[in-house]
Every structure is written in C-alpha cells, then in structure tokens.
Amino acid sequence: LLPKGVAWAEACSKDLLLRGLPLDDVQMKIAGTVGVAHPELIRIIAIDHFPRPDDPYLTKVIDEQQMLGDNCVGLTLGYGIYIRKGHTNIRLLSHEYRHVYQYEKAGSIASYLAVYIEQVLQVGYYNSQLEVDARSHEIIFSGS
C-alpha cells in the first residue's frame, strides 16, 4: 500500500508544483502562522474533483477511509495543495498549510505518508494525530 500511495502522491505533487499558483501575501502570512518554514514553495490548484489513483487496491483503501469523498475539500501533497472549487477559505487554507508544515517536518512525501497511512488505518482518518493537529491549527474567523 505505502509504495503505491507514495508513487501516486509524488506524481500528483509534481503536477501541483508545475501548474499550481503561488500564495499571495495574505496566504503566505497564514502559512507562516501555522508553522510553515517555506511558504514560498507552496502551490495551489482549485479543482472540481480530486485525482484518483489508478491502482484498485489503493482506491479501495481511500474509499473505505472516506479520504477523497464528497466531504473532502482539500488535499495536501508535499508543497502542493488541491482545493475543491468554491471551498477556499482561511479555515481550510490554514488546515492544509499545517499539513505542509507536517510534510516539512517529515522530510519527504514518503516519510510523511508512512506515518499518515498508519495512523489512518489504526484509528481512522478523523482521529489520526496528523488530522487532529491540522484541525487544532485552523484559523477561524466569522464567515470562514
């Protein structure tokens, strides 16, 4: 599972970094507030639907854990972030930027996903420590 997940995530990350938009000044400040060391490297793409892996086993696990379902509005892969169109707000961006911070601490997509996937498989997506940490760093303002 892990090698397949890493290969898919790295391919998506390359696409994000090539096609994504850099952060504006406000977004850079938000990223710095949640701990990101290099916000200038972050790229974002607004999408209608998240990319899905071709591998059936990987897709099955993603579906079972409800990781890319209809309620998913952001996906961070290294310095690249997919945001579902119509859902960009400070709360979501700060959450996804915290995942960038976590990737920076892990050192690579492979190292991050080794921990992330294990946590999700053990306690579920919502209760995984990396998701709990990201939620705890969400910046919440009225209307966001």
Side-chain angles (χ1 to χ4, degrees):
L1 178 65
L2 183 59
K4 292 175 182 186
V6 168
W8 175 77
E10 287 177 344
C12 289
S13 177
K14 286 179 185 175
D15 177 60
L16 279 158
L17 296 179
L18 286 173
R19 296 188 312 117
L21 298 174
L23 305 187
D24 63 28
D25 290 341
V26 172
Q27 292 169 330
M28 295 265 288
K29 185 173 181 176
I30 294 167
T33 298
V34 300
V36 175
H38 297 285
E40 72 279 3
L41 299 178
I42 297 174
R43 296 294 181 268
I44 297 176
I45 295 178
I47 56 168
D48 291 315
H49 302 285
F50 291 105
R52 296 184 56 82
D54 293 330
D55 183 87
Y57 179 63
L58 186 55
T59 299
K60 179 182 178 223
V61 172
I62 286 171
D63 290 344
E64 286 173 352
Q65 296 299 323
Q66 301 175 353
M67 294 173 69
L68 295 177
D70 291 338
N71 59 347
C72 181
V73 292
L75 174 64
T76 300
L77 300 166
Y79 283 104
I81 302 172
Y82 290 115
I83 299 288
R84 191 180 305 256
K85 288 181 182 174
H87 293 276
T88 302
N89 59 59
I90 293 171
R91 182 177 186 172
L92 177 60
L93 291 174
S94 59
H95 179 103
E96 298 305 325
Y97 297 158
R98 185 61 179 186
H99 284 309
V100 171
Y101 162 83
Q102 294 166 350
Y103 275 100
E104 286 179 332
K105 291 304 238 185
S108 69
I109 289 175
S111 295
Y112 176 84
L113 287 181
V115 173
Y116 187 85
I117 290 171
E118 181 179 340
Q119 288 180 7
V120 168
L121 292 176
Q122 286 181 355
V123 298
Y125 167 78
Y126 187 81
N127 293 318
S128 69
Q129 185 55 45
L130 291 167
E131 286 300 330
V132 169
D133 176 69
R135 284 194 308 275
S136 75
H137 285 82
E138 291 175 357
I139 298 171
I140 303 169
F141 293 109
S142 297
S144 66

